[in-house]
């Protein structure tokens, strides 16, 4: 059992990869400048960040590593002005992702892939907080005219959110597979994992 | 007392790195382990501080004992309570960003109270005048300053044994002198020093015993005289301090730097005017740490130019883009410039119309033929560098730059790279080597440009 | 003593974090406009007494812009696409308060005190070590990324294919980062980070009067703001 505990090396790896992951999240998030693209942001994030997370999972095959790793980005976002919603949402998501990984004993590609697909939905929390704060958002947008608000109200619904989650999961699956290809092509050959 | 008894070290199943090492180190002794790269001297250091087992999956047989306590099965922190380590590359071996916190980090981890920390700090500052390094970000320090800090941190920890793995690799002459002084002070304090190093000139007076490591064995104990007379045959760097040979000033005027100006954040300035370089020559660029050598490369290659430079080649002004197109660079950390998944692909990358014939020739010339399907990142440091050189050769640039190509290299590898560079030199190109390795520059360069002459310190407001 | 300031006017990171979370509520629950201004002014005042005069002014200016600009009624006539862009404004406005508090926390806290704070509130090392590493690694990451980009430019790697481009940047970056991770943990382990005894911290986390003032004022404003807006 001793081997399964997170060692210093693993904790440092968590910190290092969390930085990389956050930078990727932030960079991809730049597409949010055009608000409508926000809806496919989770999908794109999954595709782009898959390699980072899959490499991380290959490096640290121990309980709770993914959970801690996954909670760090929401924590930064909290400090960066997001609400507690994103933290609670991520907590739920990461618990599920961690459990899926556990079923696969942390080293099965299939379960790691599924785990990442779920993991990737944490970012939907940033949209969820808009949904939960719908009234405030609409109130603030009122200045932009009734027409705009009407469109907005139509756009921000639970049905649409479900689609965003679906997109996140699909993006996650694609990203995980890209990660697998690159892992084989580069990182295993280079002796990193 | 530190004892190694029949120490053998293996990687994987059968790759034997160390073979039956027996060594007794008395308290307060200074041992220099020397030998070529790959001889196993660093592995001895990493066995003593335990990193080889934890990080490189090495297995060992035999015993390592400190004061008759067997280190086998000890956790790294337990070993580190007795033994401090200094690493080869100080760049990344810090846990904290703030220098003061890094110095105190060990003390925090062993649970000392604040008062005791302060008294240890004062004690250290009395020995080493490094107050100016405190309270700074490690990212603002030069390589030399970082290494000084590492040594100071070892002293502050109060460990009686310090192991150092090629501590001078990334230092220039000035910092090697400081390092030497610091080690002398540590020795006077009765601290046991075990140093793996192939740049030996600064240690010949300091070491009580000099042991030659060869093929994983303690081959022979050398006397100082033996060392002074035979360092070359042993594959070691010069045993006496090398001085820069007097060079003829730059000849030729194919490439002229009419004006090159660069202001640094802290106000100090690099300003070069009217200097010419000739085709077919190899120029060494020197100067102490932080005098703008890397900046010089970045401006000359067109990577970074704030538009204040005027560089003329054969009567034609080269703008940033022209320079970028005509330059190649072998970086200090070659890891940054390897992108693909095989050596062959790597060399082809970014080079237009490269014939297979030429490619094979280059591969052959650099002894890379057998490695051509390997992943570049899986190669050894020297091999990676040769891959980078191969890609430069194929690009066939007018201006070729090398940034510290020999840091951490032993004599044989240094001579090898020197030969390679000399072979690269044709009458159609100019080669620039930024380096603080004087032995290497004497061997390689036709002419030397010392950048210190062109810098003005920060003007006082 | 050794160039580590113990500033009585600078709240400790725990207090600052508490305020960030507290203001997070304002992202989803509206508070009164006057309260919003009060929060902004308190934060600016905190900047000011800590010597960050520029940030104090910037903070007020930014909020002023976000507060007043969307009020132009002319906006209604703009095409929908531009409105969408402008809705970003609304978003920034929504989350400005917690953002400002977060920025204040990052700008005025040194890493040492953040680590000490995590110890003080008994955050397990499984969380505090990764966080400490993030502060350490971020600047390295930027350096390495720039070096790789430089290498790509001089190698003349120009690819129109974004996937290829990403591969060229990502692969060396991830490999180098993995190596740096090893180096950092070696440094930490040879400095006894895994030592199970109770650790001490040179930088102590003290509670000064300012901590109470900062936390209580913001709490009162937020509570008042929520009550007034209902």
């Amino acid at each position: 059992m001793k081997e399964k505990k997170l060692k210093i090396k693993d904790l440092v790896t968590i910190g290092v990869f969390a930085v990389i992951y956050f930078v990727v999240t932030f960079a991809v998030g730049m597409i949010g400048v055009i608000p409508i693209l926000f809806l496919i942001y989770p999908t794109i994030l999954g595709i782009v960040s898959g390699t980072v997370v899959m490499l991380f999972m290959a490096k640290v095959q121990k309980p709770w590593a993914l959970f801690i790793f996954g909670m760090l980005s929401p924590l930064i976002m909290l400090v960066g002005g997001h609400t507690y919603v994103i933290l609670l949402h991520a907590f739920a998501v990461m618990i599920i992702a961690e459990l899926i990984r556990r079923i696969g004993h942390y080293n099965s590609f299939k379960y790691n892939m599924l785990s990442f697909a779920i993991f990737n939905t944490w970012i939907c929390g940033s949209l969820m907080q808009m949904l939960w704060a719908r009234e405030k958002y609409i109130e603030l947008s009122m200045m932009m005219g009734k027409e705009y608000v009407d469109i907005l109200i139509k756009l921000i619904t639970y049905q649409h959110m479900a689609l965003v989650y679906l997109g996140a999961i699909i993006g996650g699956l694609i990203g995980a597979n890209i990660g697998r290809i690159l892992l084989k092509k580069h990182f295993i050959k280079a002796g990193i994992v | 007392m530190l004892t190694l008894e029949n120490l053998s070290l293996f990687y994987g199943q059968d790759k034997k790195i160390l073979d039956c090492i027996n060594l007794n180190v008395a308290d307060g002794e200074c041992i220099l382990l020397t030998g070529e790269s790959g001889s196993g001297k660093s592995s001895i250091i990493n066995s003593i501080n335990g990193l080889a087992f934890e990080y490189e999956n090495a297995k060992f047989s035999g015993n390592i004992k400190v004061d008759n306590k067997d280190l086998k099965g000890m956790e790294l922190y337990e070993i580190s309570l007795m033994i401090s380590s200094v690493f080869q590359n100080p760049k990344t071996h810090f846990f904290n960003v703030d220098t003061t916190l890094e110095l105190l980090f060990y003390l925090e981890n062993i649970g000392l109270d604040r008062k005791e920390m302060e008294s240890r700090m004062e004690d250290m500052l009395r020995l080493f005048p490094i107050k100016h390094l405190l309270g700074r970000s490690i990212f603002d320090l030069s390589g030399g300053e970082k290494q000084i800090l590492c040594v100071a941190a070892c002293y502050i920890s109060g460990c009686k044994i310090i192991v150092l793995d090629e501590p001078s690799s990334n230092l220039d002459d000035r910092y090697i002198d400081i390092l030497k002084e610091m080690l002398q002070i540590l020795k006077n304090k009765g601290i046991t020093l075990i140093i793996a190093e192939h740049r030996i000139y600064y240690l010949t007076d300091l070491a009580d015993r000099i042991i030659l490591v060869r093929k994983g064995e303690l081959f022979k104990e050398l006397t100082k005289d033996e060392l002074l007379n035979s360092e070359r045959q042993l594959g070691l760097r010069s045993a006496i301090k090398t001085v820069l040979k007097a060079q003829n000033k730059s000849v030729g005027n194919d490439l002229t730097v009419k004006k090159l100006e660069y202001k640094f954040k802290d106000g100090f300035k690099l300003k070069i005017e009217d200097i010419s370089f000739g085709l077919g020559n190899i120029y060494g660029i020197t100067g102490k740490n932080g005098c703008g050598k890397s900046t010089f490369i970045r401006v000359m290659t067109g990577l970074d130019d704030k538009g204040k430079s005027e560089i003329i080649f054969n009567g034609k002004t080269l703008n940033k883009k022209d320079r970028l197109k005509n330059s190649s660079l072998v970086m200090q950390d070659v890891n940054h410039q390897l992108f693909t998944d095989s050596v062959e692909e790597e060399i082809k990358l970014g080079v237009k119309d490269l014939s297979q014939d030429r490619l094979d020739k280059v591969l052959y010339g650099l002894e890379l033929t057998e490695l051509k399907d390997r992943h570049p990142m899986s190669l050894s440091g020297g091999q990676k560098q040769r891959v980078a050189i191969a890609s430069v050769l194929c690009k066939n640039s007018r201006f070729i730059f090398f940034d510290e190509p020999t840091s951490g290299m032993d004599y044989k590898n240094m001579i090898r790279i020197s030969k390679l560079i000399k072979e690269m030199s044709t009458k159609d190109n100019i080669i620039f080597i930024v380096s603080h390795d004087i032995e290497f520059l004497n061997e390689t360069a036709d002419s030397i440009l010392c950048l210190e002459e062109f810098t003005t310190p920060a003007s006082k407001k | 003593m050794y160039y580590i300031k113990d500033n009585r006017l600078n709240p400790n990171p725990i207090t600052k974090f508490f305020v960030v979370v507290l203001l997070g509520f304002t992202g989803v629950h509206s508070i009164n406009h006057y309260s919003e201004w009060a929060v902004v002014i308190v934060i600016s005042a905190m900047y000011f007494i800590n010597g960050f005069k520029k940030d104090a002014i910037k903070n007020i200016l930014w909020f002023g812009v976000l507060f007043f600009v969307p009020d132009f009624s002319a906006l209604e006539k703009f095409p929908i696409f531009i409105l969408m862009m402008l809705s970003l404004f609304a978003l920034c406005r929504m989350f400005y308060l917690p953002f400002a508090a977060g920025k204040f926390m990052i700008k005025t806290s040194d890493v040492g005190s953040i680590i000490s704070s995590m110890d003080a509130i008994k955050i397990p090392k499984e969380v505090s070590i990764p966080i400490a590493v993030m502060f350490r690694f971020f600047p390295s990451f930027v350096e390495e990324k720039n070096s790789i980009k430089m290498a790509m430019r001089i190698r003349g790697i120009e690819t129109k294919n974004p996937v290829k481009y990403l591969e060229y940047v990502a692969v060396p970056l991830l490999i180098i980062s993995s190596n740096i991770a090893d180096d950092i943990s070696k440094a930490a382990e040879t400095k006894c980070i895994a030592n199970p005894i109770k650790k001490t911290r040179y930088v102590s986390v003290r509670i000064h009067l300012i901590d109470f003032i900062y936390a209580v004022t913001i709490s009162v404003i937020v509570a008042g703001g929520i009550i007034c807006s209902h």
Side-chain angles (χ1 to χ4, degrees):
Chain A
M1 266 328 272
K2 197 183 157 213
E3 275 302 303
K4 280 290 170 198
K5 264 191 84 184
L6 290 171
K7 291 184 158 192
I8 300 300
K9 193 175 157 186
D10 305 316
L11 297 176
V12 172
T13 306
I14 290 174
V16 163
F17 275 76
V19 169
I20 303 173
Y21 182 73
F22 182 73
V23 171
V24 172
T25 308
F26 189 78
V28 178
M30 286 302 170
I31 63 161
V33 174
I34 303 165
I36 192 79
L37 288 185
F38 227 91
L39 298 173
I40 55 161
Y41 172 38
T43 315
I44 297 176
L45 178 66
I47 295 172
V48 177
S49 71
T51 307
V52 178
V53 182
M54 291 311 279
L55 178 60
F56 171 75
M57 287 205 252
K59 277 182 78 82
V60 190
Q61 302 183 347
K62 291 182 182 174
W64 299 111
L66 185 73
F67 179 78
I68 299 169
F69 171 77
M71 289 309 289
L72 289 172
S73 284
L75 198 67
I76 304 174
M77 292 188 57
L78 184 76
V79 176
H82 284 260
T83 65
Y84 58 92
V85 172
I86 199 153
L87 206 63
L88 296 177
H89 178 267
F91 188 84
V93 168
M94 293 311 157
I95 290 279
I96 301 171
E98 177 69 34
L99 287 177
I100 294 176
R101 245 197 124 193
R102 173 167 296 204
I103 299 171
H105 300 289
Y106 300 96
N107 57 10
S108 127
F109 170 74
K110 204 172 87 195
Y111 284 99
N112 281 350
M113 174 181 77
L114 290 174
S115 177
F116 174 64
I118 299 298
F119 174 100
N120 191 46
T121 60
W122 77 270
I123 193 70
C124 301
S126 73
L127 282 164
M128 281 305 270
Q129 60 190 6
M130 233 113 79
L131 199 62
W132 284 336
R134 201 158 156 231
E135 260 107 80
K136 178 169 179 186
Y137 186 54
I138 287 169
E139 172 200 312
L140 280 171
S141 302
M142 263 314 181
M143 299 121 183
M144 302 198 194
K146 178 110 182 36
E147 192 191 349
Y148 179 75
V149 172
D150 286 343
I151 293 176
L152 214 62
I153 290 173
K154 268 189 222 140
L155 215 57
I156 313 180
T157 62
Y158 281 101
Q159 286 87 332
H160 285 134
M161 267 321 280
L163 285 179
V164 173
Y165 274 87
L166 190 66
I169 290 174
I170 292 170
L173 293 176
I174 298 171
N177 280 289
I178 294 176
R180 173 145 108 150
I181 294 168
L182 288 181
L183 229 62
K184 278 201 180 134
K185 187 174 171 197
H186 289 286
F187 302 109
I188 294 174
K189 271 198 192 167
I192 294 299
V193 284
Chain B
M1 182 155 101
L2 175 82
T3 321
L4 307 181
E5 283 172 10
N6 296 323
L7 175 72
S8 294
L9 191 74
F10 309 88
Y11 284 122
Q13 284 303 310
D14 44 357
K15 209 173 152 210
K16 210 171 198 176
I17 301 292
L18 295 178
D19 192 11
C20 242
I21 305 274
N22 282 295
L23 182 66
N24 278 309
V25 185
D27 289 341
E29 214 178 355
C30 175
I31 305 281
L32 168 59
L33 299 170
T34 188
E36 297 177 5
S37 295
S39 60
K41 56 187 190 307
S42 295
S43 299
I44 298 178
I45 297 287
N46 286 332
S47 305
I48 296 172
N49 61 21
L51 290 175
F53 318 119
E54 198 74 33
Y55 282 87
E56 284 146 28
N57 289 319
K59 304 250 174 328
F60 80 113
S61 63
N63 293 309
I64 307 169
K65 289 181 183 165
V66 175
D67 295 333
N68 284 321
K69 257 186 288 173
D70 202 332
L71 301 190
K72 191 176 267 173
M74 274 197 189
E75 294 282 337
L76 275 176
Y77 76 86
E78 294 172 284
I79 299 173
S80 304
L81 288 171
M82 299 179 283
I83 300 168
S84 278
S85 310
V86 174
F87 301 95
Q88 179 176 1
N89 183 358
K91 189 174 149 202
T92 48
H93 286 105
F94 286 89
F95 185 76
N96 295 280
V97 178
D98 184 276
T99 52
T100 311
L101 288 178
E102 180 70 20
L103 282 172
L104 296 168
F105 186 54
Y106 183 93
L107 306 181
E108 294 182 333
N109 288 332
I110 60 171
L112 289 191
D113 62 30
R114 197 180 156 115
K115 247 207 186 114
E116 177 66 21
M117 287 188 206
E118 269 171 16
S119 83
R120 288 224 195 169
M121 191 73 141
E122 270 159 36
D123 177 39
M124 186 276 292
L125 285 174
R126 267 196 297 277
L127 282 185
F128 307 122
I130 57 163
K131 206 161 184 176
H132 61 286
L133 297 182
L134 297 184
R136 286 171 60 183
S137 155
I138 55 162
F139 293 95
D140 297 336
L141 301 189
S142 72
E145 289 172 326
K146 282 181 197 160
Q147 198 61 296
I148 288 177
L149 202 70
C150 285
V151 177
C154 286
Y155 174 72
I156 228 174
S157 75
C159 289
K160 283 286 160 222
I161 302 172
I162 301 178
V163 295
L164 304 96
D165 186 6
E166 299 184 20
S168 79
S169 318
N170 290 289
L171 307 187
D172 61 13
D173 272 15
R174 199 165 55 113
Y175 276 99
I176 291 180
D177 288 344
I178 298 176
L179 177 67
K180 179 184 172 181
E181 265 173 57
M182 291 180 87
L183 293 177
Q184 184 67 56
I185 292 170
L186 291 175
K187 193 186 165 192
N188 295 345
K189 281 269 168 186
I191 290 169
T192 311
L193 299 171
I194 301 168
I195 310 166
E197 186 69 275
H198 49 234
R199 189 185 305 218
I200 45 178
Y201 78 82
Y202 74 105
L203 294 169
T204 43
D205 298 332
L206 201 70
D208 297 312
R209 279 194 282 160
I210 302 166
I211 298 170
L212 183 68
V213 186
R214 185 177 278 176
K215 291 183 183 152
E217 288 173 49
L218 298 188
F219 186 70
K220 196 176 168 194
E221 203 169 313
L222 299 170
T223 62
K224 240 163 259 176
D225 289 331
E226 278 177 299
L227 198 63
L228 287 173
N229 295 323
S230 61
E231 73 262 37
R232 293 287 185 257
Q233 288 92 304
L234 301 171
L236 304 176
R237 288 305 194 87
S238 171
I240 44 168
K241 191 171 175 173
T242 341
V243 234
L244 200 57
K245 268 194 266 175
Q247 309 274 353
N248 46 330
K249 276 277 169 193
S250 44
V251 280
N253 52 359
D254 300 298
L255 178 74
T256 306
V257 178
K258 202 105 198 114
K259 205 177 100 191
L260 187 158
E261 221 180 299
Y262 200 95
K263 269 197 203 107
F264 293 88
K265 252 191 257 154
D266 49 2
F268 113 110
K269 221 163 74 176
L270 175 70
K271 191 175 177 187
I272 299 175
E273 273 174 326
D274 285 315
I275 289 193
S276 295
F277 305 96
L279 285 170
N281 285 325
I282 301 174
Y283 293 90
I285 313 289
T286 62
K288 60 176 187 227
N289 278 342
C291 74
K293 296 191 299 257
S294 314
T295 307
F296 176 78
I297 288 191
R298 283 209 303 276
V299 174
M300 290 297 286
T301 51
L303 281 167
D304 180 2
D305 189 356
K306 292 176 182 158
K308 276 186 194 151
S309 56
E310 201 183 337
I311 291 160
I312 298 169
F313 180 67
N314 284 345
K316 200 175 149 260
T317 306
L318 295 181
N319 65 21
K320 221 160 109 173
K321 262 203 186 129
D322 300 329
R323 277 163 16 222
L324 207 52
K325 223 162 79 195
N326 285 303
S327 306
S328 302
L329 168 64
V330 177
M331 298 170 105
Q332 182 175 11
D333 185 351
V334 283
N335 287 318
H336 289 133
Q337 55 184 146
L338 301 174
F339 298 101
T340 61
D341 63 336
S342 80
V343 169
E344 192 171 346
E345 285 301 315
E346 190 62 48
I347 295 167
K348 282 184 192 161
L349 185 69
V351 186
K352 283 165 204 127
D353 17 278
L354 176 70
S355 69
Q356 190 67 35
D357 195 39
R358 167 106 178 111
L359 177 72
D360 288 339
K361 247 189 207 144
V362 170
L363 281 172
Y364 182 76
L366 290 164
E367 297 172 42
L368 290 169
T369 313
E370 277 169 26
L371 302 172
K372 73 175 184 187
D373 294 323
R374 287 269 299 271
H375 195 290
M377 289 286 193
S378 70
L379 303 175
S380 76
Q383 290 166 339
K384 281 182 200 168
Q385 196 180 39
R386 295 210 303 275
V387 174
I389 291 175
S391 76
V392 167
L393 275 176
C394 288
K395 197 183 168 194
N396 214 357
S397 300
R398 187 77 71 188
F399 316 118
I400 302 172
F401 295 83
F402 286 85
D403 192 358
E404 302 286 2
T406 58
S407 54
M409 273 191 191
D410 66 357
Y411 184 71
K412 225 165 82 185
N413 284 314
M414 183 271 279
I415 288 297
R416 184 176 190 172
I417 184 111
S418 167
K419 246 178 79 189
L420 268 176
I421 292 176
K422 281 190 272 189
E423 280 166 17
M424 281 172 91
S425 178
T426 66
K427 59 183 187 320
D428 290 320
N429 64 20
I430 308 177
I431 298 178
F432 297 90
I433 308 169
V434 165
S435 179
H436 53 239
D437 186 341
I438 290 168
E439 220 179 329
F440 166 65
L441 288 177
N442 283 346
E443 195 68 45
T444 320
D446 299 315
S447 173
I448 300 286
L449 179 72
C450 179
L451 285 187
E452 274 168 64
E453 294 163 26
F454 301 96
T455 52
T456 38
S459 53
K460 290 190 186 89
K461 282 168 202 163
Chain C
M1 238 195 97
Y2 289 102
Y3 303 90
I4 291 176
K5 291 155 250 150
D6 182 25
N7 192 338
R8 304 188 150 272
L9 295 175
N10 195 349
N12 68 51
I14 304 170
T15 312
K16 290 182 205 161
F17 188 71
F18 167 75
V19 169
V20 173
V21 175
L22 189 68
L23 287 175
F25 280 90
T26 68
V28 281
H29 310 286
S30 290
I31 63 168
N32 183 289
H33 289 332
Y34 296 108
S35 318
E36 285 185 305
W37 272 108
V39 171
V40 170
I41 288 167
V42 169
I43 292 175
S44 275
M46 295 302 294
Y47 271 126
F48 197 80
I49 57 174
N50 280 291
F52 290 82
K53 289 182 185 142
K54 257 194 197 155
D55 290 288
I57 295 165
K58 260 199 241 161
N59 181 38
I60 290 181
L61 285 181
W62 270 116
F63 188 69
V65 169
L66 290 171
F67 190 83
F68 290 113
V69 167
D71 267 344
F72 290 121
S73 49
L75 279 177
E76 277 188 42
K77 296 185 188 78
F78 280 19
I80 193 85
F81 185 71
I82 294 184
L83 281 180
M84 246 186 225
M85 292 293 203
L86 283 171
S87 77
L88 203 65
F89 245 79
L91 265 184
C92 294
R93 168 84 167 74
M94 228 170 131
F95 296 113
Y96 186 78
L97 294 186
F99 168 76
K103 195 174 158 211
F104 173 67
M105 172 174 165
I106 297 293
K107 272 235 154 165
T108 59
S109 309
D110 58 284
V111 184
S113 66
I114 291 174
I115 294 172
S116 299
S117 304
M118 288 193 291
D119 275 8
I121 51 174
K122 306 245 173 338
I123 287 181
K125 73 171 198 307
E126 280 76 12
V127 177
S128 65
I129 291 178
I131 291 178
V133 169
M134 290 179 82
F135 284 104
R136 161 68 182 78
F137 178 67
F138 185 73
S140 292
F141 180 79
V142 175
E143 273 184 3
E144 303 301 326
K145 190 197 77 198
N146 291 340
S147 297
I148 289 170
K149 282 207 166 147
M150 220 165 88
M152 288 179 72
R153 279 173 59 200
I154 199 149
R155 284 282 296 274
I157 300 174
E158 286 158 12
T159 163
K160 298 258 154 54
N161 183 345
V163 178
K164 264 271 173 263
Y165 184 84
L166 272 177
E167 187 182 333
Y168 287 146
V169 183
V171 169
L173 200 52
L174 285 170
I175 291 177
I176 291 169
S177 300
S178 297
N179 294 338
I180 294 180
D182 272 3
D183 286 353
I184 294 175
S185 55
K186 278 181 196 170
E189 294 223 56
T190 53
K191 296 217 161 109
C192 297
I193 193 171
N195 197 349
I197 66 157
K198 192 173 163 10
K199 290 174 186 163
T200 48
R201 292 285 171 212
Y202 184 78
V203 182
S204 52
V205 189
R206 300 223 182 98
I207 299 175
H208 296 301
L209 186 61
I210 194 79
D211 289 284
F212 285 107
I213 297 176
Y214 187 47
V216 171
T217 335
I218 298 281
S219 304
V220 168
I221 297 173
V222 170
I226 288 178
I227 292 163
C228 287
S229 71
H230 284 294

